[in-house]
Amino acid sequence: MASSTGLRELQRDLENKANDLSKLQKDISKNHQIRKKYTIQLGENELVLKELDLLNEDANVYKLIGPVLVKQDMAEANANVKKRIEYISAELKRLDSTVQDLEDKQNSKKETIMKLQQKIQSLQAGKGKA
Amino acid sequence: MAESVKGTVTSLSSLFPVEEAQKAAKRVEEIISERQKQLDQLRDFADDNNTLIRLVQRLPDELHHDIMVPFGKAAFFPGRLIHTNEFLVLLGEGHYAERTAKQTVGILNRRGKALEVQVESVKALMQDLKAEASFFDATASEAAEGLVEIREDYVEETSPKEASMIGIVEPELPISSQAEDVSHVKDEEYDRIFSRLAELEKEEEEAEHANQEEIGSDDSDVSPGHVILEEEMKSLELEERGKSSRIQSTEKFPDHWHVEGSKATSKENCLPENLAYGKFNLTENAPMEPQAEEDVKAPVIAETKAEAHPSEPQFDSSKAFTGSIVEHNSDVNSKVQSVSRSSKPVSRFKMQRK
């Protein structure tokens, strides 16, 4: 009797853990998507920076803000793009660390789930024998 | 690993279940199709870019162009395109720059190059994925066919010897098989052959310099001995075919053999002990003709009869079964030094008496 209640508890535990794991996996995939987006933006910004470097100092540069084009200084635009790149790189780094963290968590969760499964199996086997 | 079993046999389907392999293949296929879409998109971009470049190059040819200006989604009205050499180029991230046609073409070209790089990288990726997919497919089909994986431990010390031995032994193997009675249980045969191989190897290692001459003489002796034996066989086979009983020959032969062996060793007792067998084998052919022709006739016939055919297959089998060579070798090698020399004649006796 005690073993069967223990088994039930273990199974509930396992279910919870499995839910946690799936949540973690969802987070990870979300993070990956965001990361992808940022990488693309980073590439685009680098392209912009390259083009801006190729422009003359007196070239007219505009920035699209909402529906209007706002005239910008070359220097200003350059600084803006650089800042943006910095921000994106920092963001990417942050995302990397969080993804790493999540993956660690995921692995530990997987291990605990494996252990739980083994426990349940051994319990069931014991019950089957008895 | 169990010691009795040298290799393991696992069916591929137990390692990679067919459905799993197929699932994996399917997943890879999906990824490939995704990448293919990406590649197509990139190619579209590149095409757009190229047409745009052509347009931009053409626009400043005229001072103005008469065009239909789109108005809303459905309507157009006639208009005129002026300032044909002024472009507002989107650099990305909402940044626009005013450029001339020429400068714009430069920007677009650079963009086209970036696209090409991306296309190449995606192509490389696709190739990798395709290789992966084909691997999975092959695995799936192999597993479905019931392919079996055989794994055998690589025995380090015996294998190189064996490799070198094959070369050395090739000329000698027929002799040894001629000297012995052949028609028998495979395992024992193998045992004998391989213990002999090991001994030959030992001889070489331990008495390379002392033995060199002997080996030379042995090599030269081998063929004449061989020939003479065959001639004897031919000539004597007829007269003695019926007469020479098997028992007679087997009784005589080992004795005669041992005598010769001891003679050989006494002659060349300067050599180390474990060379004795080699000597005795080496000399065994040469003295046979002058010394004991009469004696030998009977055994020779008896044996050659038994052997003329088996000697070849035996040789072949030792070649073909290199896998099993390893197995036996490991067994034999442990015995070689202590047991084989003493056990071998016994086994021959046994076999010959059968």
Side-chain angles (χ1 to χ4, degrees):
Chain A
M1 206 56 214
S3 74
S4 75
T5 53
L7 193 67
R8 216 166 290 153
E9 247 168 56
L10 279 176
Q11 268 166 344
R12 209 178 301 136
D13 210 14
L14 182 68
E15 242 168 66
N16 287 339
K17 289 263 161 49
N19 282 339
D20 287 352
L21 183 66
S22 69
K23 221 179 269 172
L24 274 175
Q25 277 169 338
K26 228 180 257 173
D27 279 355
I28 287 176
S29 69
K30 213 157 96 189
N31 245 305
H32 272 299
Q33 271 175 356
I34 294 171
R35 207 177 153 327
K36 213 168 159 188
K37 217 169 71 187
Y38 272 120
T39 342
I40 292 170
Q41 280 196 0
L42 185 68
E44 197 178 328
N45 271 285
E46 270 163 3
L47 263 176
V48 173
L49 190 66
K50 243 185 248 168
E51 292 299 336
L52 282 176
D53 283 343
L54 287 166
L55 293 180
N56 290 332
E57 279 302 313
D58 57 349
N60 290 327
V61 179
Y62 304 88
K63 170 103 174 112
L64 186 71
I65 300 174
V68 287
L69 282 173
V70 180
K71 194 166 179 206
Q72 273 189 324
D73 266 3
M74 263 298 288
E76 203 186 330
N78 231 327
N80 273 347
V81 174
K82 270 179 190 155
K83 220 186 262 169
R84 180 106 182 108
I85 287 176
E86 259 169 46
Y87 167 72
I88 291 172
S89 316
E91 197 73 350
L92 274 177
K93 235 176 239 170
R94 193 181 65 80
L95 281 173
D96 272 349
S97 67
T98 52
V99 164
Q100 188 70 41
D101 204 36
L102 282 171
E103 267 170 4
D104 284 350
K105 265 189 207 164
Q106 185 193 13
N107 286 340
S108 67
K109 270 268 152 46
K110 266 184 189 164
E111 250 169 56
T112 54
I113 283 176
M114 287 273 281
K115 269 178 202 160
L116 269 175
Q117 274 174 337
Q118 276 172 358
K119 229 185 243 172
I120 287 172
Q121 267 172 3
S122 66
L123 265 179
Q124 275 173 339
K127 224 164 73 173
K129 267 178 203 166
Chain B
M1 267 296 153
E3 279 175 26
S4 55
V5 183
K6 286 290 178 294
T8 55
V9 177
T10 39
S11 70
L12 208 60
S13 54
S14 75
L15 280 178
F16 311 104
V18 182
E19 310 92 61
E20 290 295 318
Q22 277 167 348
K23 226 188 269 174
K26 209 182 268 175
R27 199 159 50 203
V28 175
E29 290 290 347
E30 272 167 23
I31 297 171
I32 286 180
S33 67
E34 236 168 71
R35 291 284 169 193
Q36 185 64 49
K37 263 183 215 158
Q38 199 184 341
L39 189 65
D40 291 345
Q41 200 188 17
L42 281 173
R43 286 217 170 107
D44 280 352
F45 285 161
D47 287 348
D48 280 357
N49 201 45
N50 286 335
T51 52
L52 189 60
I53 287 171
R54 273 198 295 278
L55 179 68
V56 170
Q57 275 172 335
R58 230 184 48 230
L59 277 177
D61 291 350
E62 302 282 337
L63 204 60
H64 57 81
H65 294 269
D66 289 326
I67 52 160
M68 296 298 284
V69 182
F71 189 75
K73 269 183 185 168
F76 292 87
F77 61 89
R80 172 177 282 192
L81 202 61
I82 55 167
H83 300 294
T84 52
N85 202 17
E86 289 166 33
F87 295 89
L88 200 60
V89 184
L90 174 65
L91 302 176
E93 280 294 298
H95 288 273
Y96 290 81
E98 269 186 352
R99 312 300 290 151
T100 65
K102 207 179 166 191
Q103 288 163 330
T104 307
V105 169
I107 289 171
L108 290 177
N109 275 331
R110 283 194 287 279
R111 211 169 279 174
K113 259 173 209 152
L115 279 172
E116 263 171 42
V117 170
Q118 280 184 43
V119 166
E120 287 306 314
S121 72
V122 172
K123 261 190 198 165
L125 240 157
M126 293 249 311
Q127 227 149 25
D128 283 359
L129 284 169
K130 266 177 193 163
E132 209 175 308
S134 70
F135 169 73
F136 277 131
D137 275 345
T139 309
S141 62
E142 277 169 1
E145 282 165 13
L147 208 76
V148 161
E149 185 187 11
I150 301 172
R151 232 176 247 219
E152 206 165 291
D153 285 340
Y154 178 69
V155 185
E156 186 82 43
E157 43 169 44
T158 61
S159 297
K161 271 189 194 173
E162 176 197 318
S164 63
M165 263 185 247
I166 286 171
I168 296 161
V169 170
E170 264 176 347
E172 293 204 349
L173 203 57
I175 297 161
S176 65
S177 62
Q178 233 167 21
E180 294 158 19
D181 206 349
V182 171
S183 49
H184 332 314
V185 191
K186 268 196 174 170
D187 279 353
E188 287 199 65
E189 219 170 279
Y190 277 126
D191 273 1
R192 260 190 295 123
I193 290 164
F194 292 120
S195 60
R196 172 116 172 79
L197 296 191
E199 272 170 43
L200 285 169
E201 185 66 21
K202 268 266 145 56
E203 283 163 31
E204 272 194 348
E205 278 174 5
E206 288 182 27
E208 255 185 352
H209 54 286
N211 214 13
Q212 257 168 1
E213 292 170 36
E214 294 302 323
I215 285 175
S217 67
D218 166 48
D219 284 346
S220 58
D221 279 348
V222 167
S223 45
H226 209 315
V227 170
I228 288 162
L229 283 178
E230 276 177 357
E231 282 172 359
E232 278 176 353
M233 171 190 77
K234 276 178 199 163
S235 61
L236 294 171
E237 208 168 3
L238 293 169
E239 9 173 325
E240 299 225 39
R241 180 174 276 166
K243 293 179 212 164
S244 66
S245 72
R246 202 162 175 71
I247 301 152
Q248 191 192 5
S249 73
T250 49
E251 273 172 356
K252 269 181 193 168
F253 195 65
D255 292 344
H256 160 64
W257 203 338
H258 282 296
V259 169
E260 272 180 15
S262 60
K263 264 181 196 168
T265 47
S266 63
K267 263 189 238 163
E268 288 125 351
N269 52 5
C270 57
L271 289 151
E273 196 220 337
N274 59 347
L275 275 180
Y277 180 65
K279 276 301 146 204
F280 131 77
N281 247 317
L282 298 179
T283 50
E284 136 190 32
N285 276 306
M288 220 177 254
E289 12 161 345
Q291 192 193 17
E293 265 187 343
E294 293 306 310
D295 281 1
V296 169
K297 278 170 197 167
V300 163
I301 291 152
E303 264 144 37
T304 40
K305 268 187 221 160
E307 241 158 63
H309 299 286
S311 67
E312 277 172 23
Q314 183 204 22
F315 181 53
D316 279 352
S317 69
S318 74
K319 254 184 176 174
F321 281 42
T322 40
S324 52
I325 281 178
V326 176
E327 291 182 9
H328 287 288
N329 243 4
S330 62
D331 286 338
V332 171
N333 256 19
S334 55
K335 290 181 203 162
V336 165
Q337 292 182 330
S338 58
V339 187
S340 64
R341 213 156 290 127
S342 58
S343 73
K344 214 190 288 177
V346 175
S347 68
R348 265 179 214 149
F349 259 110
K350 272 185 198 163
M351 275 186 277
Q352 281 169 344
R353 270 181 190 157
K354 261 181 218 172

